[in-house]
Amino acid sequence: MSIDVKYRTSATANGGRDGRTRTEDGTLDLQLSTPKELGGPGGEGTNPEQLFASGYAACFLSALKFAAHQLALPVPAGAAVTATVGIGMRSDGGFGLDVELAAALPGLERADAQRLVEAAHQICPYSNATRGNIDVRLSII
């Protein structure tokens, strides 16, 4: 499958989970800290799972808006997506991620909200990248 790339960016990390990450243009420049739950010191820095959750939530909400246009459904003004990302040891070795996407679509009929979330999951590039690799659960709140 080929992709007609419309936008490309890069970020560089130094020091791993207790280092720093910065985008090529400097708009994102963050201190990283390993969470205590993963054996780190914790601290004020962010971590890769938080960054992934933030990106996935924003991308999925945009996919919801795109799907809503295709399905001729309204997107409620208070629409929001919460991505919860977990990390842990895989049963067959190594580390793995676990994701839940919870969509808040206030005022939308449950059946329409379900159609919209399922359509967005087929459109979202994060969903397409993780499909078959990460357990992603969808819910409507």
Side-chain angles (χ1 to χ4, degrees):
M1 171 184 61
S2 65
I3 297 174
D4 180 16
V5 175
K6 300 293 185 196
Y7 172 75
R8 187 179 311 271
T9 189
S10 66
T12 301
N14 294 293
R17 287 180 168 272
D18 290 308
R20 185 158 209 90
T21 188
R22 182 180 187 280
T23 56
E24 63 186 9
D25 62 4
T27 58
L28 186 67
D29 188 348
L30 299 170
Q31 179 65 42
L32 302 172
S33 298
T34 302
K36 289 180 181 179
E37 296 86 347
L38 295 178
E44 295 183 18
T46 190
N47 61 66
E49 291 71 38
Q50 291 171 321
L51 295 170
F52 184 68
S54 296
Y56 204 160
C59 190
F60 198 83
L61 183 53
S62 291
L64 279 170
K65 292 177 179 182
F66 187 86
H69 178 74
Q70 288 184 324
L71 297 171
L73 289 171
V75 175
V81 173
T82 300
T84 303
V85 175
I87 183 172
M89 294 297 295
R90 294 168 19 127
S91 60
D92 57 354
F95 288 89
L97 297 176
D98 174 83
V99 175
E100 179 181 356
L101 298 174
L105 299 163
L108 201 58
E109 293 292 328
R110 182 90 180 166
D112 287 340
Q114 189 67 41
R115 280 184 30 221
L116 192 52
V117 166
E118 289 172 6
H121 193 46
Q122 297 306 309
I123 293 168
C124 178
Y126 278 62
S127 292
N128 288 328
T130 59
R131 189 169 288 111
N133 299 307
I134 297 175
D135 181 24
V136 177
R137 292 173 311 287
L138 305 173
S139 65
I140 300 166
I141 53 175

